[in-house]
Amino acid sequence: MKKLFLILVFSSVLSNAQNSELIPFVSASKWGFSDQAGKIMIQPVYDSVGFFNTSSVGVKYLTFAYVYQNKKMGVIDTQNKILLPITYQNIKNIDETLHFIAINEAGKSGLVSNENRVLIPFEYDRIDEVVNFSFVLRKNKKIGLADVNGKIVIPVVYDQIVYIDEDEETKKCRWRVNNEKITQYLYTAIYNNPNDEIYMTVPSVTYKDKAAISYTLDENSKDFEEKIPIRYESNLFLLRKKNLYGFIDAKEKIGFKPKFRELKYFFNSYDFKYGKRHYLFVEENDKKGLVDGNGNILLEAIYNDIKKEYQYLKVINETQLGIFFLTTNKVVFSDFNKIKTSIVLDNNFVMVLVENTEDNSYFYIGENGVIFKN
């Protein structure tokens, strides 16, 4: 089951449509879903679950999650309605459709709708999605082709099928097929993506208000005695005065006067919401802390080590491992000793999957500081 869950987790990371309304929540080794605040919305009864994903066809939307029970796989909606029963060996949604390629208990592949209606019967050794919303069907070492509605458009009698192009004369897709008796070209209708005529608007972007700058470098002032360039950063400097250190981004006019005894530049990042952000180490008694580019203390200098990862920092306090979220400046410690991966959901909500290797348990932590488990 551990292997099954890990496959689920890493396949979820690659998805582009993860829904952030419901979060996987674990209790007593069973999985369900909660909202972002940790309130349980779907009771933990499954062996494992995936994040909710959204697939669309035109104006129709399907929000669904894969769930696992007794080493079998099914699909539920946000109300915990079973869309596909938990009887399949494997299920895969087809992008921009409401259909799923599934493998049944006998190891045969078929195509089913989100209502568990069989579109292609479970009699094939394998089904693969290809161009033009079509499916290659494999059976008894022969292959054919079905369209997006499950209709067989090239019979399963060939050794090879190769997509050639969209034929300009017939306005159809052209395929080259062959077996031991024949090689020829066959044509199938072009399936128009129902999303082609749907236009999406991009929300307006809010940029950081540069009028709120806390400190502007003045070369003629006595705010510093020395301006120390930061390696590989042409506009960034540490400022020194009476053995205290500050920081300046000369280009962005961001910084703070010298006030820390130990200061080291860490890294910077940029996003549309906050603009450019700087992070610097402060040190006291061989312990590390963190401040931002305006001198605000983000982490007190009590940590043995701070390491940068994607969307978060790994912080170590003695022997305890924690997570500092760059998006919210929240630090979280709990009963985990290994960080597996970070995940960004559809509204940029950041999740981190962690593990307690002592009991082989997994759970998620959100950027809001919520630990999604009992």
Side-chain angles (χ1 to χ4, degrees):
M1 185 55 62
K2 178 180 178 182
K3 181 178 180 181
L4 178 66
F5 177 73
L6 287 177
I7 292 172
L8 167 66
V9 166
F10 289 116
S11 65
S12 294
V13 172
L14 299 177
S15 172
N16 292 322
Q18 289 166 348
N19 188 283
S20 60
E21 294 180 4
L22 295 177
I23 307 297
F25 187 99
V26 63
S27 177
S29 299
K30 292 294 184 179
W31 288 82
F33 294 88
S34 74
D35 61 16
Q36 288 187 8
K39 179 182 177 181
I40 294 178
M41 308 301 290
I42 295 177
Q43 289 296 321
V45 297
Y46 301 104
D47 293 337
S48 60
V49 299
F51 281 88
F52 274 91
N53 294 268
T54 299
S55 188
S56 64
V57 178
V59 296
K60 296 181 179 179
Y61 289 86
L62 175 66
T63 300
F64 66 93
Y66 300 120
V67 293
Y68 295 78
Q69 198 78 292
N70 300 321
K71 298 183 180 180
K72 299 297 182 182
M73 186 176 181
V75 177
I76 64 171
D77 67 11
T78 56
Q79 303 303 312
N80 201 27
K81 176 184 176 182
I82 301 292
L83 302 179
L84 301 186
I86 311 174
T87 58
Y88 294 104
Q89 290 187 21
N90 191 55
I91 303 171
K92 178 187 176 184
N93 174 248
I94 307 304
D95 289 341
E96 300 179 89
T97 78
L98 307 184
H99 301 160
F100 298 83
I101 295 175
I103 301 175
N104 66 9
E105 294 178 272
K108 294 297 183 180
S109 296
L111 184 71
V112 294
S113 72
N114 62 299
E115 299 171 338
N116 202 35
R117 181 168 57 90
V118 177
L119 304 173
I120 298 177
F122 286 86
E123 60 183 59
Y124 296 97
D125 301 321
R126 180 172 168 179
I127 298 177
D128 294 300
E129 181 190 9
V130 290
V131 296
N132 193 39
F133 292 90
S134 302
F135 302 94
V136 171
L137 312 177
R138 303 175 188 271
K139 183 178 181 181
N140 298 328
K141 297 183 179 181
K142 296 294 182 180
I143 63 176
L145 198 73
D147 67 15
V148 70
N149 297 310
K151 178 182 177 181
I152 295 179
V153 291
I154 296 179
V156 188
V157 297
Y158 295 100
D159 298 320
Q160 185 182 54
I161 296 178
V162 178
Y163 172 77
I164 302 300
D165 56 18
E166 291 184 8
D167 186 79
E168 294 184 1
E169 182 177 346
T170 63
K171 302 300 181 183
K172 292 185 176 182
C173 287
R174 181 169 57 153
W175 310 79
R176 187 180 69 241
V177 300
N178 69 273
N179 57 24
E180 65 277 7
K181 295 181 179 179
I182 191 171
T183 296
Q184 63 180 344
Y185 290 96
L186 297 178
Y187 299 85
T188 63
I190 295 174
Y191 181 80
N192 293 316
N193 184 346
N195 285 334
D196 282 348
E197 295 182 2
I198 296 177
Y199 297 91
M200 299 183 65
T201 59
V202 179
S204 60
V205 176
T206 302
Y207 293 92
K208 180 178 178 181
D209 181 7
K210 293 188 177 181
I213 294 167
S214 64
Y215 177 60
T216 301
L217 175 65
D218 182 358
E219 292 284 356
N220 298 316
S221 74
K222 297 181 180 180
D223 288 343
F224 62 91
E225 298 167 355
E226 183 182 10
K227 186 167 69 172
I228 306 167
I230 294 173
R231 192 175 184 184
Y232 305 126
E233 299 284 352
S234 60
N235 297 300
L236 305 184
F237 303 87
L238 294 182
L239 307 177
R240 184 185 63 81
K241 184 176 182 179
K242 295 182 180 179
N243 294 322
L244 296 178
Y245 292 87
F247 166 75
I248 189 69
D249 180 339
K251 182 177 180 180
E252 297 289 330
K253 305 297 184 183
I254 298 170
F256 54 91
K257 299 177 182 180
K259 60 180 180 177
F260 296 104
R261 293 193 178 278
E262 297 285 342
L263 187 67
K264 294 181 181 178
Y265 191 76
F266 192 12
F267 72 96
N268 63 65
S269 64
Y270 183 87
D271 61 49
F272 288 110
K273 184 176 181 181
Y274 298 104
K276 192 172 185 179
R277 297 194 292 180
H278 299 277
Y279 299 89
L280 300 95
F281 284 134
V282 293
E283 295 188 20
E284 293 180 13
N285 302 319
D286 295 324
K287 299 288 187 178
K288 290 183 178 180
L290 193 73
V291 300
D292 65 16
N294 291 315
N296 301 309
I297 296 177
L298 305 178
L299 292 171
E300 297 286 348
I302 59 173
Y303 298 97
N304 295 74
D305 200 7
I306 301 174
K307 296 181 179 179
K308 184 180 183 301
E309 304 290 344
Y310 178 64
Q311 296 287 354
Y312 67 93
L313 302 181
K314 182 189 297 183
V315 295
I316 299 172
N317 188 1
E318 300 300 337
T319 59
Q320 193 174 14
L321 179 63
I323 297 169
F324 176 79
F325 288 93
L326 296 171
T327 48
T328 58
N329 293 339
K330 288 186 177 292
V331 62
V332 180
F333 285 89
S334 185
D335 56 336
F336 64 90
N337 54 20
K338 190 173 184 179
I339 300 173
K340 301 298 294 185
T341 188
S342 63
I343 301 167
V344 183
L345 304 185
D346 59 3
N347 67 342
N348 294 321
F349 187 82
V350 177
M351 304 284 299
V352 174
L353 175 68
V354 298
E355 177 186 6
N356 184 329
T357 58
E358 294 179 2
D359 59 9
N360 293 322
S361 63
Y362 298 84
F363 56 95
Y364 287 96
I365 300 173
E367 65 174 17
N368 55 357
V370 174
I371 300 171
F372 292 93
K373 74 163 188 168
N374 280 336

